[in-house]
Amino acid sequence: MQFILPVKGRLRGKTRVAASPAFREALIVAMLRDCVAAALATELGEVVVVTPDPDLRNIARCDGATTLDHAGSLNEAIGAALGKGRSAVLLPDVPAVRPEHLLEVLASSESGFVPDRAGTGTTMLFGTDLVPEFGPGSAARHEAAGNRRIIVPECGLTVDVDTAADLEIARRLGLGRHTASVLTHAQGPTR
């Protein structure tokens, strides 16, 4: 089993979170670290962070992940990291995810995907011979490609943080320690 966490970089994301660039950068780093920690805690296998950002690669390695430098699109980066056997692509913007969420979903089916709470996006795609179709409307594309939609009750795996409102929902569910620390120590949108 291999987890793949693709991330564009620290400086280009989360623009819909109404906050300063410094807060958004700290949030991206913290959410990645919390997702890496959850994936590693499953003890199912290797965790690979794919990013063109050298600082994020260094942070991920320090946290126990392996890394791959890839500057292509999100789906191209995922494709470059896919190995043989079963993989799980986890988008690293689910800061309330817990190892038990991942274990429960992975035990429920050999392959499939978890939609976000709106039902239109994808937070995790897993199986063998994956063809990633991430981006707006990815849930419909993943389902049309024959992937099983795995419906789980609202939890850290379903709350994809794109806005300040999403971040507040994730906070109510229980953030990972890195993201919680950012919200405690920085002037963010929910302070």
Side-chain angles (χ1 to χ4, degrees):
M1 179 76 198
Q2 172 192 50
F3 283 95
I4 299 168
L5 284 72
V7 60
K8 295 175 192 171
R10 296 168 292 123
L11 305 176
R12 300 185 317 193
K14 302 302 161 201
T15 56
R16 290 188 290 157
V17 174
S20 70
F23 177 83
R24 290 195 316 266
E25 179 180 347
L27 181 64
I28 289 166
V29 171
M31 291 193 307
L32 173 64
R33 295 186 76 192
D34 287 330
C35 290
V36 166
L40 285 170
T42 66
E43 299 182 349
L44 292 178
E46 178 183 39
V47 176
V48 181
V49 172
V50 188
T51 181
D53 187 317
D55 292 331
L56 283 180
R57 289 195 307 272
N58 186 50
I59 290 165
R61 281 192 299 271
C62 289
D63 283 350
T66 58
T67 62
L68 176 64
D69 179 3
H70 197 285
S73 73
L74 187 67
N75 292 316
E76 290 169 344
I78 294 165
L82 285 171
K84 295 183 189 233
R86 194 172 187 221
S87 297
V89 179
L90 175 66
L91 294 190
D93 52 6
V94 287
V97 70
R98 299 283 178 265
E100 56 268 25
H101 302 148
L102 300 172
L103 289 167
E104 181 180 326
V105 167
L106 293 170
S108 73
S109 180
E110 278 301 308
S111 64
F113 72 97
V114 177
D116 61 15
R117 62 189 292 273
T120 59
T122 303
T123 61
M124 187 168 80
L125 173 69
F126 63 99
T128 56
D129 302 319
L130 296 178
V131 178
E133 293 285 350
F134 288 93
S138 64
R141 287 192 304 279
H142 285 137
E143 194 164 35
N147 296 291
R148 179 177 170 214
R149 184 181 288 252
I150 308 294
I151 303 298
V152 296
E154 184 174 81
C155 68
L157 186 54
T158 62
V159 180
D160 171 7
V161 172
D162 286 320
T163 66
D166 297 332
L167 187 55
E168 184 55 37
I169 293 166
R171 186 193 342 224
R172 285 197 310 266
L173 290 171
L175 296 169
R177 71 182 181 93
H178 298 290
T179 307
S181 178
V182 166
L183 292 186
T184 299
H185 295 102
Q187 291 300 313
T190 59
R191 297 272 304 144

